[in-house]
Amino acid sequence: GRMGDEGAAVYNCLLCDSYALVILGILPDRKLARGTKGRGAYEDLLEEFQLAKCGGPGGTNVMMLACPTCNAFAYRYELNQVAQGEFLRQGMAVLTPSVLVSFEDGQSPPLYRDENAGSDGKPRWRLCQGVGPAGLELDRSRTGRLHKPSLAPFGVDVRPLTLPEQLRGPRELSEAVHEACGYAEAMHVESADPAAALTRWRIATGERA
């Protein structure tokens, strides 16, 4: 049989405010959930996985991730799976500070499983642990990015970002994103406290914009 299913969570890129999925690891095997006892044990394992990978409720887990949108901006390419995969393989992707999304106060970020894994069909991400949308709507780029308007019912502000006048040209935005990514990476790497680094970065970039 195939490998276990991958578990994913939704993250929000703090630079461009897009939402995408990040794979967190291999979920506990569903075969363990046999009988009442097995089901209970399996649910405990899922919960442990969620806590280990997503952190407890209310924690801001800042991760440096290769946001598909920021990479498309910074490298001026059409956003698609091939371009995204190419950049990730070459280790050229820019990393931006991102946080895992919790959809309810006091709850850890929820976990999702692709119910179509192993088939050729489109991924079908369904909630498998925690509190959140039952299913996720991905956009057409096949990069794990979510169709943002689909998150509106769950309290996500889906209005497009308004750009300052000096960033309206295609080159200007791209340069600014590239610079901000580099700055954020440097801040993050040097710091023992990612959340504090992030606050410093936000203040600094906010002042510059």
Side-chain angles (χ1 to χ4, degrees):
R2 60 193 175 81
M3 282 277 291
D5 297 327
E6 291 174 327
V10 176
Y11 70 89
N12 172 216
C13 170
L14 296 169
L15 185 58
C16 72
D17 201 31
S18 67
Y19 288 76
L21 276 176
V22 57
I23 306 288
L24 298 171
I26 301 294
L27 291 166
D29 192 340
R30 276 200 263 202
K31 290 196 195 83
L32 300 170
R34 293 212 173 112
T36 319
K37 212 168 156 184
R39 227 183 346 266
Y42 174 69
E43 279 163 15
D44 288 349
L45 285 173
L46 268 184
E47 207 168 316
E48 276 169 39
F49 181 96
Q50 182 190 24
L51 270 176
K53 302 286 186 181
C54 300
T60 353
N61 257 1
V62 183
M63 303 162 94
M64 298 302 288
L65 297 173
C67 162
T69 311
C70 283
N71 277 280
F73 278 147
Y75 287 112
R76 301 180 269 285
Y77 63 73
E78 237 350 85
L79 180 64
N80 65 53
Q81 199 177 12
V82 179
Q84 172 79 350
E86 214 32 54
F87 273 96
L88 292 175
R89 276 193 296 283
Q90 291 166 7
M92 285 171 61
V94 289
L95 302 178
T96 41
S98 308
V99 289
L100 296 183
V101 178
S102 163
F103 290 93
E104 199 164 301
D105 286 348
Q107 296 284 343
S108 292
L111 284 178
Y112 287 84
R113 172 194 275 119
D114 177 9
E115 296 293 346
N116 276 351
S119 77
D120 292 337
K122 226 167 67 170
R124 208 171 126 256
W125 293 96
R126 310 294 297 172
L127 182 68
C128 71
Q129 168 65 25
V131 180
L136 297 172
E137 194 184 326
L138 272 62
D139 72 9
R140 293 205 194 110
S141 66
R142 302 294 291 253
T143 57
R145 187 168 67 169
L146 301 187
H147 179 56
K148 198 171 173 182
S150 70
L151 295 172
F154 306 98
V156 169
D157 181 357
V158 297
R159 286 171 304 190
L161 290 177
T162 44
L163 290 174
E165 199 53 54
Q166 72 269 28
L167 292 183
R168 300 252 162 104
R171 292 283 309 201
E172 289 77 359
L173 179 62
S174 174
E175 291 307 319
V177 170
H178 203 99
E179 192 187 330
C181 292
Y183 188 73
E185 273 181 80
M187 284 288 232
H188 194 84
V189 169
E190 285 162 25
S191 112
D193 179 356
L198 186 68
T199 309
R200 289 204 307 277
W201 170 74
R202 280 180 142 164
I203 292 165
T205 45
E207 280 166 2
R208 238 190 10 214

